[in-house]
Amino acid sequence: MSGHATNLRLKLPAICFLLQLFTIILFAVFVRYDQETSARLWHEELSHHNKSNRDNDFYFRYPSFQDVHTMIFIGFGFLMTFLKRYGFGSVAFNFLIAAFAIQWSTLIQGFFHSFHDGKIHIGIESMINADFCSGAVLISFGAVLGKTSPIQLLLMALFEVTLFGINEYVLLSVVGAKDAGGSMTIHTFGAYFGLMVSRVLYRPQLDKSRQREGSVYHSDLFAMIGTIYLWLFWPSFNSAITAHGDDQQRTVMNTYFSLAASTLATFATSALVNGEGKLDMVHIQNAALAGGVVVGTSGEMMLTPFGAMIAGFLAGLISTLGFKFLTPSLDSRLKIQDTCGVHNLHGMPGVLGALLGALVAALATQDVYGDGMADVFPLIADGSRTATYQGICQLFALLITLGFAVVGGSLVGAALKIRSLGSPPDTQCFEDQIYWEVPEDHQDGYMTAVNSEDPERSASV
Amino acid sequence: MSGHATNLRLKLPAICFLLQLFTIILFAVFVRYDQETSARLWHEELSHHNKSNRDNDFYFRYPSFQDVHTMIFIGFGFLMTFLKRYGFGSVAFNFLIAAFAIQWSTLIQGFFHSFHDGKIHIGIESMINADFCSGAVLISFGAVLGKTSPIQLLLMALFEVTLFGINEYVLLSVVGAKDAGGSMTIHTFGAYFGLMVSRVLYRPQLDKSRQREGSVYHSDLFAMIGTIYLWLFWPSFNSAITAHGDDQQRTVMNTYFSLAASTLATFATSALVNGEGKLDMVHIQNAALAGGVVVGTSGEMMLTPFGAMIAGFLAGLISTLGFKFLTPSLDSRLKIQDTCGVHNLHGMPGVLGALLGALVAALATQDVYGDGMADVFPLIADGSRTATYQGICQLFALLITLGFAVVGGSLVGAALKIRSLGSPPDTQCFEDQIYWEVPEDHQDGYMTAVNSEDPERSASV
Amino acid sequence: MSGHATNLRLKLPAICFLLQLFTIILFAVFVRYDQETSARLWHEELSHHNKSNRDNDFYFRYPSFQDVHTMIFIGFGFLMTFLKRYGFGSVAFNFLIAAFAIQWSTLIQGFFHSFHDGKIHIGIESMINADFCSGAVLISFGAVLGKTSPIQLLLMALFEVTLFGINEYVLLSVVGAKDAGGSMTIHTFGAYFGLMVSRVLYRPQLDKSRQREGSVYHSDLFAMIGTIYLWLFWPSFNSAITAHGDDQQRTVMNTYFSLAASTLATFATSALVNGEGKLDMVHIQNAALAGGVVVGTSGEMMLTPFGAMIAGFLAGLISTLGFKFLTPSLDSRLKIQDTCGVHNLHGMPGVLGALLGALVAALATQDVYGDGMADVFPLIADGSRTATYQGICQLFALLITLGFAVVGGSLVGAALKIRSLGSPPDTQCFEDQIYWEVPEDHQDGYMTAVNSEDPERSASV
């Protein structure tokens, strides 16, 4: 019986309560308001440095933060509602694991980046970084969507956030790579981590649930809410933690043009690869966003607007081709079942973005950057490395990220194979009804599906 | 015949035109641009105080305002679209009454807070406060959703906004309580006001419309748009009118963590209280938001991040328990029919938030707040009251709010019982078709519902 | 066979690739980062003028930009999803043509407004203006929605953006008119341009597709997402490029109150003109927004809050009346088929807004504006024209705009009649299935529609 394996009545409360309790205790011990958030410290700052309340970094980061926040919870959440019978799970498990991941990553990233005097000091930047990290987890979620229980997802988040923090620390603080929009730390890492988890959790019998893997007309429209919000706010995402001033404005503009170009490339390629010249909603929903991923590293650099367009155009092109030609063979040949096609939206464009970042970094000159060099490439500006060497470091960062993602994803996937984690049976993937009280109109469809198309119904996991 | 009682052809235009005309006249007589909005006054300010255009408070309040604005019209509006046959009424009556309430509350709040030289002076802060006030009306709307005509709703808004203004004035200006995010003024007031209106309008025969009180699959997804936007922007809501600087950043951060914790508590509790361990969309849509309500008073204080998490966790817990155990008995024992469960989302968490605010205020010390004390607790900072006394005032403010809400809601409910206000018959609650031209696909469902499930169809109101 | 005429397998990729390639080349030759976006130039500015990174205009324009961006892609996109079988086309063709238009208008507007030393210099303001221009194209799209192929739409965008740029240049730089929120440049121009295109493309046999021209219950809810976002962010739209300080705050406030009043007028009028007193979603979705259009010109002026309310009230009133009485006769008498009723939402309110702008400009006095005159009416402030003359110039600007729109729309409409552009046959208008791979649930409906309601099916274009 599937009923008993997927009944989460005690397990889900237990893990939620435990994780939340554990997090609260760690916060109580380690986490404190930073200088801009604490009443006493900020007012000391005000009086010592002749500042005004309006110099608080809140006013220069919070609008960006809210855009990123919207991408994480509306963007990713609704993007995944395209499945006809997994809308609740898509938007709500997205909600659950992101709500946990932002707390946990505040701790993990805090230990690596803002730990001093035995305490983690947090403020608006740590909130942006926590949302970024949860973005990586949600990308991985896209690969395993519909095939995992919320318990597995929470555990995946627990481990992935931790590994994300380590990888990010190595890249930014050890290697000295630049990656403000996370082509490597977020997209490449999240995609290949998730793909490895999916590989380890491979289901040879997934065909038993294929009738539920598609969309219905209105579920595709719900998904477009996610797509458009991700597209709109990607400029904020890539610029949210760059240096203030020209850097933020330039990153926004590069991302804006890259996305516009990837949109045209996606429509063009979608019609081209379809036998009848018809457009495919899956491509529009996903590949049009590849332009945001591909300038995640280079967006803050002097990429030039037309450079951003070329990058976005290529990203939209390869992403659409990936959906058409690569995803089927990933499944059949490499045994990687990638529900949302994260390899096409985040994997390949992420790697391309890392390579582009290395190239643009290697081409940096004092003439082009002027005194702005110190904001974009501080190690070049202070003479401790050349532009070429910075480019090499960027390449090295990509390799490290791929290593962490592949090894980490494999290990975590193995851990998630544990029998009692409530994974759905092969016959009940992409189906809300196993984890949710659903309205009558949904139950009917389910009964039909179960009774007519899949009569045995004996589950096995 | 129900047709004639609910036909609004003359009544609705009459009340809309009258209210709008009356408002325009009052605006013409009383309302003027404030110093930051008037071309002449602002430029005098610029030249007299050596300011720059970029010092205009617009840049430090408007992003918060737009988040609040989104919560009011998208958040509340879509949250209530969960009903299978009341989506039009939910989002559009929300739109109508909020559009009126923001105008009317600009007048009412203006008389209390920015009336000098015989004029009300308005700017960005008055817009935020007007949206806040309309939030309280929309909470009350949630309690009576599907059981009231738009005329009743407009009248409710007219009276409730007025009472809101009085209560808020008493709390903030007479008692000297702090309540930046409105745990008391908005949530507690709006919830108990609405519950009393619903009590007075009790329908013993509401079972005749129960078949329409649930959701369908996609209406639950529409509702999640409202939920997620409320969740995302609650940090902006609670911080929108706090003092600039550390106060806004701290409030945002406290709310962010409180909401994250309430989300985990909600998922945990939802699975726990369900016989089969299944999650319930009603809980996720509502209780996950209780973390925002519960720090409405204390969010600007030095609550600490882990304190915020504990508060949010408890709020999510009691809110979910409320949906499961309290709402049914409110209906059966206290004759309070609470369509959206506002008692669980706004009522109990609002009271809890008021108590928490009193506690955190009573614990305030100079050591923790430093010179920031003046922003959070000006009356403690200037020596006119102790922290303990501030805490007592906060408690007193809660009692006053409950008093205003209960008495006001009862009186307004009685006024709304007037026969000719177009209230739907018991057989036609939660049904768009009585007030709306609806598409064919909806009519069919209605005919089925009317003909097969409810054959008498003789209306009585 | 309709199949061959509407098969876009080669044509759509060809035009997308060509337009994108051409745009990239022009960007490479002409477009450069402006002083605030370039690393070198901004840091020179910093050191020469003792500025801080936080003085970058990014922080004072970007939140407004993102609101406008949301209006263009979510607002317009979802507003048009009201059609029961054209949701994909509505939101996705909106996406495609806006993604192209923002690139192309960056070039066109750049040549007119920021071309020096042989280069176009772009930054956050050019992004806002590009989004504005794409807004005009999307308004025209509303007039021809469901009756044009994506190829026709891209060509329309190409020509319309170009004409928009010329008209805008004449109005703002030659005539010296003020039109910050685009009552003339965006709404009047976009509406009458689109109406003329629709006139030239008149389909006498459109009745063959009338059964698809309506909505279903949930498509009306999707459309409300668009409506509410447009409504919420219209204050940002009208204020996005006004002068900083009081101007932005005043424009926001005027638009806020105008929209609120138009909402009440719309509900009132909608119930009044319906035989049974029922409200019509089409009115709510559209006419409630007329309050934003009507203060597009005068919003930045000292309109006064009650003046804004009167304007919004009238706009909501005439817009609703237009939907009821004018749209049918536009079709039957003037042979203008206006799918979304852009004449009611953008056309008439745009003209009214232009007239209002002329009136308010003519009434400007030094006493009211003080030193703020220079920001709102620089030519009055520097003595080169009187207020009356400014008012006359505003009227003249309206006439020029109408001329450009009518002549331009006619010519472009004629160009779009070319046979091979993939226009849908009369029997297949308002139908996603000709351009899209659609899910099974949608195909069924289509088969029903084609087989039972429209048996001949022989296409003619």
Side-chain angles (χ1 to χ4, degrees), chain B residues 9 17 33 37 39-40 42-43 54 56 59 62 66 85 87 92 123-124 131 229 432-433 435 437 441, chain C residues 55 57 217 229 232 236 244-246 248-250 253-254 256 267 272 274 276 278-279 304 313 367 372:
Chain B
R9 183 161 188 197
F17 285 145
Y33 295 126
T37 316
R40 187 172 57 78
W42 174 249
H43 282 265
R54 292 173 174 190
N56 195 291
Y59 303 103
Y62 187 59
Q66 273 298 359
R85 299 186 64 74
I124 184 70
D131 269 56
Y229 270 108
D432 270 335
Q433 196 153 355
Y435 300 122
E437 290 290 342
D441 67 322
Chain C
D55 293 321
D57 206 30
Y217 194 58
Y229 270 107
L232 287 175
S236 303
H244 287 311
D246 61 297
Q248 285 200 285
Q249 187 167 166
R250 184 170 59 251
M253 186 176 295
N254 288 335
Y256 175 81
F267 274 84
L272 192 65
N274 179 285
E276 303 172 75
K278 291 189 180 180
L279 295 160
T304 76
F313 187 83
D367 188 48

Side-chain angles (χ1 to χ4, degrees), chain A residues 132-399:
Chain A
F132 274 4
C133 175
S134 75
V137 179
L138 298 177
I139 292 166
S140 303
F141 177 36
V144 299
L145 185 77
K147 301 172 298 186
T148 38
S149 75
I151 295 171
Q152 289 178 301
L153 294 171
L154 282 168
L155 291 177
M156 184 178 84
L158 179 74
F159 296 127
E160 184 171 357
V161 164
T162 311
L163 265 173
F164 175 99
I166 298 171
N167 181 57
E168 187 192 48
Y169 174 75
V170 171
L171 260 60
L172 306 187
S173 303
V174 179
V175 177
K178 296 289 290 188
D179 194 23
S183 285
M184 295 180 281
T185 54
I186 301 167
H187 299 288
T188 303
F189 179 81
Y192 290 98
F193 185 97
L195 291 168
M196 288 314 294
V197 171
S198 189
R199 174 66 190 79
V200 175
L201 299 180
Y202 179 67
R203 290 170 180 265
Q205 305 288 313
L206 191 59
D207 280 342
K208 292 183 179 172
S209 290
R210 289 285 180 206
Q211 79 280 9
R212 275 186 234 98
E213 212 181 351
S215 62
V216 290
Y217 194 59
H218 282 171
S219 71
D220 270 326
L221 284 176
F222 279 114
M224 281 303 286
I225 298 173
T227 297
I228 302 283
Y229 270 108
L230 288 169
W231 195 92
L232 287 174
F233 291 157
W234 219 296
S236 303
F237 191 94
N238 284 347
S239 68
I241 53 160
T242 64
H244 286 312
D246 59 299
D247 304 73
Q248 285 200 285
Q249 187 167 166
R250 185 170 57 251
T251 311
V252 157
M253 186 176 295
N254 288 336
T255 309
Y256 174 81
F257 286 117
S258 178
L259 285 161
S262 71
T263 303
L264 267 82
T266 299
F267 274 83
T269 315
S270 183
L272 192 64
V273 298
N274 179 286
E276 303 173 75
K278 290 187 181 181
L279 295 159
D280 192 325
M281 261 290 167
V282 172
H283 304 156
I284 311 305
Q285 283 158 2
N286 290 279
L289 300 169
V293 176
V294 78
V295 296
T297 303
S298 57
E300 66 174 322
M301 305 174 188
M302 290 290 284
L303 179 59
T304 75
F306 81 93
M309 284 173 169
I310 294 171
F313 186 83
L314 291 176
L317 180 72
I318 64 162
S319 185
T320 310
L321 293 175
F323 274 99
K324 181 71 181 179
F325 301 109
L326 211 55
T327 297
S329 62
L330 276 187
D331 187 345
S332 59
R333 302 198 184 178
L334 298 183
K335 300 190 177 179
I336 297 175
Q337 292 153 333
D338 179 6
T339 310
C340 292
V342 301
H343 187 249
N344 309 308
L345 170 49
H346 302 279
M348 291 190 295
V351 171
L352 187 63
L355 298 175
L356 179 66
L359 176 68
V360 180
L363 296 174
T365 64
Q366 196 61 40
D367 186 48
V368 169
Y369 287 82
D371 289 349
M373 183 70 91
D375 286 339
V376 186
F377 299 114
L379 299 175
I380 301 179
D382 71 10
S384 56
R385 58 172 65 161
T386 64
T388 311
Y389 187 63
Q390 180 70 35
I392 292 167
C393 290
Q394 297 288 136
L395 286 179
F396 195 51
L398 171 62
L399 294 178

Side-chain angles (χ1 to χ4, degrees), chain A residues 8-161:
Chain A
L8 308 179
R9 186 167 188 194
L10 296 178
K11 291 173 205 164
L12 184 60
I15 191 168
C16 285
F17 283 144
L18 274 177
L19 288 176
Q20 187 61 64
L21 196 68
F22 187 52
T23 305
I24 289 175
I25 293 169
L26 289 176
F27 264 68
V29 176
F30 290 114
V31 176
R32 297 294 177 270
Y33 295 126
D34 72 7
Q35 197 171 33
E36 298 212 317
T37 315
S38 155
R40 187 171 58 77
L41 297 179
W42 174 249
H43 283 264
E44 286 173 12
E45 177 85 2
L46 283 185
S47 57
H48 293 168
H49 294 91
N50 195 25
K51 281 187 177 174
S52 137
N53 269 321
R54 293 174 174 190
D55 294 322
N56 195 292
D57 206 29
F58 178 74
Y59 303 104
F60 303 90
R61 296 280 183 209
Y62 187 61
S64 305
F65 163 74
Q66 274 298 2
D67 291 351
V68 171
H69 211 38
T70 301
M71 291 173 74
I72 296 299
F73 289 87
I74 289 281
F76 281 105
F78 277 91
L79 181 62
M80 295 191 270
T81 58
F82 75 98
L83 288 171
K84 69 177 96 168
R85 298 186 64 76
Y86 206 71
F88 289 8
S90 295
V91 71
F93 293 157
N94 186 88
F95 188 22
L96 172 65
I97 60 181
F100 169 64
I102 57 179
Q103 298 179 64
W104 188 244
S105 63
T106 302
L107 285 165
I108 298 293
Q109 295 180 313
F111 278 116
F112 283 116
H113 296 293
S114 56
F115 191 74
H116 36 93
D117 304 332
K119 302 293 175 196
I120 293 165
H121 297 85
I122 62 173
I124 183 70
E125 265 196 76
S126 70
M127 290 168 62
I128 296 172
N129 280 312
D131 269 57
F132 274 4
C133 175
S134 75
V137 179
L138 298 177
I139 292 166
S140 303
F141 177 36
V144 299
L145 185 77
K147 301 172 298 186
T148 38
S149 75
I151 295 171
Q152 289 178 301
L153 294 171
L154 282 168
L155 291 177
M156 184 178 84
L158 179 74
F159 296 127
E160 184 171 357
V161 164

Side-chain angles (χ1 to χ4, degrees), chain B residues 71-95 97 134-135 137-146 213-214 219-220 222-227 230 285-286 339-342 346 430, chain C residues 217 221:
Chain B
M71 291 173 73
I72 296 299
F73 289 86
I74 289 281
F76 281 105
F78 277 91
L79 182 62
M80 295 190 271
T81 58
F82 75 99
L83 288 171
K84 68 178 96 169
R85 299 186 64 74
Y86 206 70
F88 290 7
S90 295
V91 71
F93 293 157
N94 185 88
F95 188 23
I97 60 182
S134 75
V137 178
L138 298 178
I139 291 167
S140 303
F141 176 36
V144 300
L145 185 76
E213 212 182 350
S219 71
D220 270 326
F222 280 115
M224 281 302 286
I225 298 173
T227 297
L230 288 169
Q285 283 158 2
N286 290 278
T339 310
C340 292
V342 302
H346 302 280
F430 318 117
Chain C
Y217 194 58
L221 285 176

